[in-house]
Each structure stands twice: as structure tokens, then as C-alpha cells.
Amino acid sequence: MLNNILVLTNDPNEAKMLKLALGQSKSVFRIEWLRQLSSGIERLRMTDMDAIIVNLSLPDSAGIATFDKLFAVAPHTPILTLSLSEETILAKEAVAYGAQGYLSKAYLDSKIIPQALLNIIQRKHVEEEINQQKVRAEIALNSIKDAVICTNLLAHIDYLNASAVEMTGWTREEAYGLHINEVFNIVDGSTHQPPLDNPVHLVLETNEPMGLNAGTLLIQRDGMTLPIEDSVSPIRDHKGEMTGAVIVFHDVSATHAMTKKMEHLAQHDFLTNLPNRLLLNDRIAHAITLAQRTNTQLAVLFLDLDNFKSINDSLGHETGDKLLQSVTERLCSCVRSSDTVSRQGGDEFVILLSSGEYGVDANLTAKKILKSLSTPHQINKTTLHITTSIGISVYPTDGLDTQTLIKNADTAMYDAKETGRNNYKFFRNEMNVRAVEKQLIESQLRMAIDKKELELYYQPKVNLHSGAITGVEALLRWNHSEWGVTTTDRFIKTAEDCGLILPIGQWVIREACLQAKQWIDAGLQPIRVAVNISAIEFHQDNFVENIRQVLIDTGLDANYLQLEITESVLIRDAKDTAKVLQQLRAMKVQIALDDFGTGYSSLSYLNQFPIDVLKIDQSFVCDIQSVTDDAIIVSAIIGMANNLKLCVVAEGVENKTQLEFLKIKHCKEGQGYYFSQPLQADEFEKLLTINRSELAEA
């Protein structure tokens, strides 16, 4: 290792002797000799040296001032002075000021000089390393959030880090030398009594580490308390002998606050701050226990907001969340402080009425809620209307435990939805029968596609004047292994409620297009195949793309596909509906408005949307043979559609009287059992072949 030595002397002989002495050493020294202090200071400012040997009598500086100036520039570099015997006092003074030693000029040629110089340099390096370690330790201790207090064997404080100063309120200077009890004053968090023995005393007696008791409070200098946790350990020297104790502790007030917050979050809904399912179940269980003791009742109300999803989807989740918060405020204002309003998730709420005449109270509370929610909500300068459907169960009549009461209230809520929404229903046992059947249908329906139980039947559409088959409607049937062939009346509503309508609908469209293409490829008369589309399917973002892909995959010309939709599809988000219909029209897919006359029947639809076909609902066709309102309605629909150049199809034609009436009124097409019941694909193919032959003969 190369050691750089700066020699400052105006005496060439001194410089020469030092070079000779250091040059004889096995250690490598590189000597730089300068005559003046100013030159030496300038050199030191450029590069650090490992040691400096200086004559305190230089041309530009003399005496202890020479040392002071060097020390100011290089405080961490070992400095040795050169001195004659008469300069020994000055040399010792320099040592007192910080010099590492002095060399007598009489011994400059001594062989001990290199070793002495190396010892001084190495000692300085060791000191610097120790100091750096102390600085690092001090920085580390002051950087951590844990408080650290050290004591000697008498439990007198000899160190505090920055965190300990902050937590105790004592400065290092004030705390140094004080007994630990004065600064580290602790009490039990429950009793606020001090411990029998300060843990520091116990550690000093046993020479073993120990932890602080849970719930320990530190009394700060200003009298405030702080919850703390951690431990006390003995301090041992390199021989393993104890020299004191160290206390390490940290503030756990934030942890306690976070624990309380987490406990709250675990039992409350994050959006509305209402009790969640967990807390509600606990409260219902307690209410049941109380009702059992007092021989009283309690009621559970299950609420589901009507059409909330459409608001959430169209206006965004932020608006939906604010609407839920507004609903929460109104629900809470409709009940008593002893009741519980909880959010189950999504747009579902459950209310526990835990006191009073429960049957009567539930009735009044439900009415109060319906009235409160009927008032519009102002959300982000938008006026929103929302209603709710409520199901009610009563203990002990409708259930003896929490889950049964909630389940039965949920069942009653679905009955309220199915009977018009914006109302309430008390649970009845027959509701469970329907709920069980619905669950059974759903579970069986989930396997129907894989088990190939779903099948399409085909019912022809006929030109009422020529008798020619002009089209066909694909009708879904479920050929269940136990129930037999089942129509959609039994299962389509369940499919819509549970989301299965999407995969089933996609299967129906693809299957119908495949079959239509097979008939065309077989050389039969090309006819349009009509498929019923639910509102849920129609409003899927990828609906148009799915139709386009099915046509590509099956090879069916779009002109031979007709989609039948109901008026309920049109009234939901008219702008987007018109856009989708225009895209389908551009593809040359026909649109038929099904069950016309049973819904809103607004003439504006016929101008606003690109519609090709009107289908008169069979309920109107049924009684047209007599002079009734239905006959007048049918006549009006046919006349209006003909004027608008729309094709009219009458559904449910079952006898010749109905047929003749429709022909007189110039209805173009009909569909019903008078012509044919729905047929399986192979049977319909035969019918189509026969119809073509009959027309050819005619």
C-alpha cells in the first residue's frame, strides 16, 4: 500500500534525511517536499495525504500557528512536528492541539521512524473507522422510529436516540444521568398503576431480556400518555459481562387506531358505512335470543333497488355509488335507532326491526320507505328516480334462525319484483315452492346446452293470399329428460335472471342460421328465419359483432335473418338502440317488432327506428271474428303499417274466420296453428317441400 507523506521544511538536510529514513523501509512511502506553508496548504486542498511532517519554523509561518493552519485544512490527517530539544515545549503544545506526535531532528536517520510513522497512520485509520461506525450507529439509531434508551448498571440513563427524546419529552442533556424511573415512567393501560418493578430493574437483576406487558402506557414529561410495546435487554461487553440495559419501544397508538379501524371495516360496508352481512347476522342472532326470552317477534326486510343496474351502466359507477349513499340516508331516516339498516352488496339492503309490534311496524316501515324513495334524487346535477322492491319475513312465523329469515325475506322480495316492483310482500310458504322450482330450473338449465337438451322448433309464416311459406320463426324448446318438451314460458325468465340467456341466445342464433343455410344448400326455397332477441342480449356491447360473426361462420346471407325484438327493447336507451338497429339495417338484417300492441305502442317508434315488420300479438287476433275493441285495434294496426309500407304479420291465427278477416283488412302474412304448429327441423323441411310443390301445381 502506498503511503503519501507531505514534508514541510525549509531545511534541505531535514528533507533528505527523512527521504533516506523512509526509503529504507519495506513499506512504500511517497514523499512530497515543500518549503512553505502556503504551498503545503494548496497541495492539501488538491489531494488528501496519509501523513504530514512539518517544521514549525517555515519562511511564511512559525510556531503553533503553523500547526493550527494545517489542522484547519486537514483535521483528519496525522500531523507530526520536527523539533530540536529546545523546541520540545512547542512540540508538546502542538500535540495538545491535536498533533499525533513529534520527531526529534537528532534521530531523523533512525530506522524506527518508518515504523512509528506507519503506526500513527494505521492508528488514525482505526480511529476514523471507529468514528465512522459510531456515526453510522448514531445515524441509524436516530433514523429508526423505535425509541432507544440505554442505562448503566445503576439504571442511570447514558443514551437516548431521537425517537426516545420525542416520545418521552426529555432532551438528551436533561435525561443524561437521571434514574430510569424519572424518564421511563410507565403504568398499566387498564389500571393506570405502575408495575411492581420497572422492567429495567428486573433485567439488571436477572441479566435476561424481557418484554413489556401488553397495554403498557408511557407517561410523557407533559403528563400525556402513549401506548407502547417492545422489550428490555441487557447490554454485554466483549467478555459477556453485563454493563447496563437497553430499552427499545415504539408508539402503538397508530396500530391501535388501525386495529379499531380494521375492526370497523370488517363489520361495515366501505361505501355506505352501514353494517355489512357479518354484523347484521350477529345483530339478528342477538335479536332472536332476546325475542325468545321475551316471547316477542322481530322482522327482517330485504330490499333490492329496481333497475339500478341501468342507471349504474348508463351514468357510471361514481353516480351509482352516490345514488346508493343517498338511498342509505333515506333508509336510515325511515327506521328507529334500535333498528339496523345494512347493505348486503350491490343494490341490496336488509333492515332488522328489533322492537315494537313487528308485523304492524314492518308494514308501516315498508310504506314509509317506498314513499321516501319515490322522491327524486339529485346526483351531480342529475335528477334520478329509483324505486325498490321489499320482501318481509317475521320471527318466529317465517323462520327460527338468521339465515332462514333472510332467505325468506329475499324470496318475498323476488315475488314483489315479479308483481310489478315498487311494492312490498310478506313471505308466504308457497313462495318457497316457486323459489325452489326456480333454483332447480337454473341448475338444470346450466347443463342443458352441454347435454344437448335444447332444440329449435320452426313455425312457418304464410302469405295470407297465396298460401306460400314466406318465412319461419325459430322457437326454443327444452327437451328435458324428465319434464319432456318444455316451452320457454317455464324457463326463459329464470335464464334472464341468472344470466344464462346470453349463452343460450348465442346458441339459438347460430343454430337457426346453420339450419337456414342447410335448407338453402339443399335446394329448398330460400326463406327468412326469425329469431327472438331478449333486451339483455340486444344491449350487450358486442351484440352486432356477434351477429356479423355468426353470419360469417355459417355462410348465411344477412338478408335471410330476421331479429324479433319487443317494444321494451326500444324504450331502453333509445339513442344506443337506434344506433344498433342502423348497424343491423346496414348489414341487411331485418328487424321485426314483436307483440305489437301489448306494450307502449308509441307510433314514434315506427319513425324513430328502422323497423321492417310489425307482428300483431295473438291476444288481439283471438277475438277479431266478432265486433270488438280487439278487431278495431287490429284493423288500425294493419292500416297504419300498410301506409308506412311495413310488412304486417298476425300471430295466433287458429281458424278460417280469423284468416278471412285478416285478408279483408289486407294483412300480408300470418302465423299460427291454422297453418302449422311448431315443427322439428326435418318435419318443417318436409312441409317446405310440400308447400313448394303445391304452389308449383297451382
Side-chain angles (χ1 to χ4, degrees):
M1 178 180 177
L2 183 65
N3 296 290
N4 296 307
I5 311 298
L6 177 62
V7 175
L8 296 177
T9 178
N10 195 35
D11 186 340
N13 290 328
E14 290 179 351
K16 183 178 180 181
M17 293 176 68
L18 282 170
K19 287 183 178 180
L20 289 173
L22 296 177
Q24 296 174 1
S25 171
K26 293 181 181 179
S27 300
V28 180
F29 293 96
R30 190 170 69 86
I31 310 296
E32 288 189 46
W33 171 39
L34 297 175
R35 294 176 177 270
Q36 295 188 346
L37 178 62
S38 58
S39 300
I41 290 175
E42 184 178 350
R43 178 65 184 81
L44 290 170
R45 285 174 176 163
M46 294 172 59
T47 308
D48 289 336
M49 306 299 289
D50 292 301
I52 303 170
I53 301 175
V54 59
N55 188 320
L56 297 180
S57 296
L58 296 174
D60 56 348
S61 178
I64 200 64
T66 302
F67 172 79
D68 289 341
K69 293 175 182 177
L70 284 173
F71 190 74
V73 176
H76 303 296
T77 303
I79 302 175
L80 291 87
T81 62
L82 291 170
S83 67
L84 296 172
S85 58
E86 62 269 17
E87 296 173 333
T88 302
I89 295 176
L90 180 61
K92 290 181 178 180
E93 184 180 355
V95 171
Y97 272 76
Q100 295 297 309
Y102 57 90
L103 299 174
S104 174
K105 296 179 183 179
Y107 298 98
L108 289 182
D109 59 349
S110 173
K111 294 182 180 180
I112 65 172
I113 289 180
Q115 187 59 48
L117 188 57
L118 279 176
N119 290 341
I120 291 172
I121 292 173
Q122 291 173 357
R123 183 178 65 196
K124 191 65 175 179
H125 287 332
V126 171
E127 290 175 354
E128 287 181 355
E129 186 175 349
I130 292 173
N131 287 333
Q132 288 177 357
Q133 290 176 352
K134 288 182 177 179
V135 170
R136 283 196 294 267
E138 184 71 16
I139 292 173
L141 287 172
N142 286 326
S143 298
I144 63 174
K145 293 183 178 180
D146 283 8
V148 179
I149 301 177
C150 297
T151 75
N152 59 21
L153 289 172
L154 297 177
H156 291 162
I157 294 173
D158 54 22
Y159 176 77
L160 288 85
N161 72 344
S163 293
V165 169
E166 180 181 354
M167 290 188 203
T168 62
W170 290 83
T171 67
R172 287 189 179 92
E173 294 76 14
E174 292 171 325
Y176 188 82
L178 294 180
H179 193 276
I180 188 63
N181 288 349
E182 295 187 57
V183 177
F184 190 66
N185 184 10
I186 56 175
V187 296
D188 182 89
S190 301
T191 65
H192 284 263
Q193 295 297 317
L196 295 177
D197 284 302
N198 189 300
V200 174
H201 298 156
L202 295 176
V203 168
L204 292 175
E205 290 176 3
T206 62
N207 196 16
E208 294 292 336
M210 66 173 294
L212 299 181
N213 292 331
T216 297
L217 294 178
L218 170 68
I219 300 179
Q220 299 169 294
R221 192 175 186 183
D222 59 5
M224 301 295 289
T225 58
L226 193 70
I228 60 171
E229 288 181 358
D230 230 318
S231 60
V232 185
S233 300
I235 300 174
R236 300 185 179 95
D237 60 17
H238 66 283
K239 297 179 180 179
E241 296 181 359
M242 186 170 60
T243 60
V246 58
I247 313 161
V248 180
F249 59 95
H250 58 271
D251 176 6
V252 294
S253 54
T255 304
H256 287 183
M258 181 58 70
T259 299
K260 291 182 179 179
K261 182 178 180 180
M262 294 303 292
E263 290 174 352
H264 181 84
L265 290 175
Q267 296 182 325
H268 290 79
D269 173 55
F270 75 96
L271 178 64
T272 62
N273 202 36
L274 291 175
N276 61 13
R277 191 190 308 270
L278 181 67
L279 183 55
L280 173 72
N281 290 350
D282 184 64
R283 290 187 180 180
I284 293 178
H286 279 86
I288 290 174
T289 301
L290 179 61
Q292 288 173 338
R293 272 202 313 263
T294 58
N295 195 28
T296 56
Q297 295 178 310
L298 62 89
V300 173
L301 281 64
F302 199 110
L303 292 76
D304 185 271
L305 301 182
D306 301 326
N307 300 316
F308 173 78
K309 187 177 185 301
S310 62
I311 295 177
N312 210 33
D313 291 345
S314 59
L315 299 180
H317 291 288
E318 181 180 355
T319 298
D321 287 349
K322 289 183 178 179
L323 178 58
L324 290 174
Q325 291 169 341
S326 179
V327 168
T328 296
E329 291 179 6
R330 297 193 188 182
L331 293 179
C332 292
S333 68
C334 293
V335 300
R336 299 156 296 191
S337 58
S338 58
D339 301 326
T340 298
V341 179
S342 75
R343 182 185 178 211
Q344 296 292 284
D347 58 345
E348 293 181 342
F349 297 83
V350 175
I351 298 176
L352 165 65
L353 303 182
S354 57
S355 62
E357 298 296 331
Y358 298 100
V360 177
D361 286 352
N363 183 65
L364 294 176
T365 301
K367 289 181 178 179
K368 192 174 181 181
I369 290 171
L370 294 175
K371 182 178 179 181
S372 177
L373 291 186
S374 66
T375 304
H377 300 257
Q378 293 297 323
I379 308 294
N380 295 335
K381 298 182 180 180
T382 301
T383 301
L384 298 178
H385 297 266
I386 194 77
T387 58
T388 187
S389 300
I390 306 173
I392 305 170
S393 64
V394 178
Y395 171 87
T397 307
D398 302 326
L400 300 177
D401 58 78
T402 301
Q403 296 307 317
T404 303
L405 288 171
I406 293 177
K407 179 179 71 69
N408 289 342
D410 186 15
T411 300
M413 181 274 295
Y414 273 104
D415 191 72
K417 276 193 179 295
E418 292 175 357
T419 53
R421 306 180 183 236
N422 193 28
N423 62 10
Y424 66 91
K425 293 283 186 178
F426 280 88
F427 174 76
R428 301 187 307 276
N429 284 326
E430 55 265 31
M431 293 179 181
N432 257 337
V433 175
R434 291 199 302 271
V436 170
E437 181 183 14
K438 182 178 180 180
Q439 182 61 39
L440 177 63
I441 289 174
E442 179 181 339
S443 63
Q444 295 285 312
L445 197 56
R446 291 187 180 278
M447 300 181 290
I449 296 178
D450 293 337
K451 293 170 68 174
K452 301 186 184 305
E453 292 181 345
L454 297 182
E455 185 178 359
L456 291 185
Y457 277 55
Y458 299 90
Q459 188 174 37
K461 296 178 183 179
V462 177
N463 185 299
L464 299 183
H465 299 280
S466 67
I469 295 177
T470 58
V472 63
E473 180 178 358
L475 299 170
L476 179 62
R477 297 292 184 263
W478 183 2
N479 192 2
H480 193 275
S481 57
E482 296 180 11
W483 306 335
V485 178
T486 305
T487 64
T488 53
D489 292 342
R490 183 174 183 183
F491 64 85
I492 203 68
K493 181 66 170 62
T494 300
E496 290 179 340
D497 290 341
C498 69
L500 287 174
I501 192 64
L502 295 177
I504 290 175
Q506 291 174 7
W507 178 86
V508 169
I509 294 173
R510 183 173 293 274
E511 188 70 14
C513 289
L514 278 172
Q515 185 60 68
K517 185 65 167 65
Q518 288 177 14
W519 287 330
I520 293 173
D521 292 345
L524 297 175
Q525 171 192 346
I527 57 174
R528 286 191 180 92
V529 60
V531 178
N532 290 281
I533 303 297
S534 73
I536 297 174
E537 291 178 87
F538 185 87
H539 289 288
Q540 291 296 304
D541 292 339
N542 58 349
F543 176 71
V544 174
E545 186 55 39
N546 283 343
I547 296 294
R548 181 181 287 108
Q549 191 60 49
V550 167
L551 292 172
I552 292 172
D553 293 345
T554 59
L556 181 68
D557 192 308
N559 187 52
Y560 294 119
L561 175 63
Q562 184 179 99
L563 302 180
E564 294 189 3
I565 61 175
T566 60
E567 293 174 71
S568 61
V569 173
L570 301 181
I571 64 171
R572 177 180 166 184
D573 200 345
K575 184 177 180 181
D576 284 347
T577 297
K579 180 181 177 181
V580 171
L581 292 177
Q582 292 290 356
Q583 290 174 333
L584 293 170
R585 167 67 68 83
M587 292 166 54
K588 301 189 182 306
V589 173
Q590 275 203 351
I591 302 298
L593 188 56
D594 197 13
D595 300 336
F596 189 78
T598 61
Y600 299 88
S601 303
S602 173
L603 297 181
S604 65
Y605 296 152
L606 305 181
N607 292 323
Q608 185 177 356
F609 302 107
I611 297 170
D612 303 292
V613 178
L614 284 185
K615 297 190 72 175
I616 304 174
D617 186 75
Q618 60 184 352
S619 62
F620 295 106
V621 176
C622 180
D623 294 326
I624 58 176
Q625 61 264 36
S626 58
V627 181
T628 63
D629 291 340
D630 288 346
I632 295 172
I633 291 173
V634 170
S635 298
I637 293 174
I638 295 172
M640 174 189 63
N642 287 336
N643 289 332
L644 293 173
K645 301 189 183 316
L646 298 176
C647 177
V648 181
V649 179
E651 295 182 297
V653 180
E654 297 183 352
N655 55 59
K656 190 170 184 179
T657 303
Q658 295 169 345
L659 172 62
E660 293 303 323
F661 177 89
L662 293 169
K663 290 169 67 174
I664 292 172
K665 296 300 180 181
H666 303 290
C667 180
K668 186 175 182 180
E669 296 181 0
Q671 178 181 347
Y673 276 46
Y674 182 77
F675 307 110
S676 172
Q677 64 182 3
L679 303 171
Q680 291 178 304
D682 55 347
E683 294 175 339
F684 180 80
E685 184 175 332
K686 294 176 183 177
L687 179 65
L688 192 60
T689 303
I690 295 171
N691 183 259
R692 183 175 63 177
S693 300
E694 291 176 348
L695 290 175
E697 293 175 1

